[in-house]
């Protein structure tokens, strides 16, 4: 389990130019999943033919727009408007391995927190302004 917190002075309510967004990328350790693929009864073709002949390392990128249950994969991307980040105290969705929350505000800065169940190699937080400017921080 990983707990990460950070602060931002980006405005939460939408501005005249649009919404500020947050994108949190959680990368799992680079450990491939080796799974044997059973031979199909029918004659395979294309990708199925390649997978049927050998074990393969599986990698995936799951892009999540808001609070959606993550599918198995190597990277989880959580992206939403800052105004849509729930205030701490609300329970996560059932079966969801992560929870992104807004913790508190003081002196023009807001604290955010991420709880993630699972192995993590790095967490990248990017806050983007409506005009495309962004601030990004990576924690390993």
């Amino acid at each position: 389990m990983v707990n990460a917190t950070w602060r931002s002075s980006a405005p939460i309510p939408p501005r005249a130019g649009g919404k500020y967004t947050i994108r949190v990328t959680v990368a799992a350790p680079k450990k491939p999943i080796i799974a044997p693929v059973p031979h199909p009864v029918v004659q395979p073709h294309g990708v199925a033919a390649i997978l049927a002949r050998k074990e393969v390392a599986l990698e995936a990128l799951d892009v999540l727009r808001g609070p959606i249950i993550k599918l198995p994969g190597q990277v989880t991307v959580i992206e939403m408007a800052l105004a849509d980040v729930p205030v701490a105290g609300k329970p996560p969705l059932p079966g969801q391995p992560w929870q992104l929350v807004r913790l508190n505000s003081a002196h023009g800065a807001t604290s955010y927190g991420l709880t993630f169940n699972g192995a993590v190699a790095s967490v990248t937080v990017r806050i983007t302004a409506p005009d495309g400017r962004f601030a990004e921080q990576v924690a390993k």
Side-chain angles (χ1 to χ4, degrees):
M1 180 188 280
V2 172
N3 288 312
T5 59
W6 62 92
R7 296 174 63 95
S8 171
S9 58
I12 295 171
R15 300 292 178 156
K19 297 178 182 179
Y20 279 73
T21 59
I22 186 167
R23 179 182 178 109
V24 180
T25 304
V26 181
K30 298 253 182 211
K31 182 178 177 184
I33 301 168
I34 306 297
V37 178
H39 293 281
V41 177
V42 296
Q43 180 65 31
H45 57 83
V47 175
I50 295 169
L51 294 177
R53 292 190 192 113
K54 63 180 179 179
E55 295 182 353
V56 294
L58 304 175
E59 289 189 23
L61 173 65
D62 299 323
V63 177
L64 305 177
R65 302 245 180 230
I68 303 171
I69 297 171
K70 178 194 170 290
L71 300 173
Q74 294 293 325
V75 177
T76 300
V77 179
I78 306 161
E79 186 172 5
M80 64 182 75
L82 282 181
D84 294 337
V85 176
V87 176
K90 295 183 179 179
L93 294 175
Q96 183 169 295
W98 56 268
Q99 184 177 24
L100 176 63
V101 294
R102 191 167 56 230
L103 299 170
N104 56 22
S105 296
H107 307 292
T110 303
S111 295
Y112 297 89
L114 172 73
T115 302
F116 188 86
N117 293 322
V120 173
S122 67
V123 176
T124 304
V125 177
R126 175 184 280 208
I127 296 178
T128 306
D131 64 4
R133 293 176 297 131
F134 65 89
E136 181 174 275
Q137 186 164 2
V138 179
K140 293 187 179 198

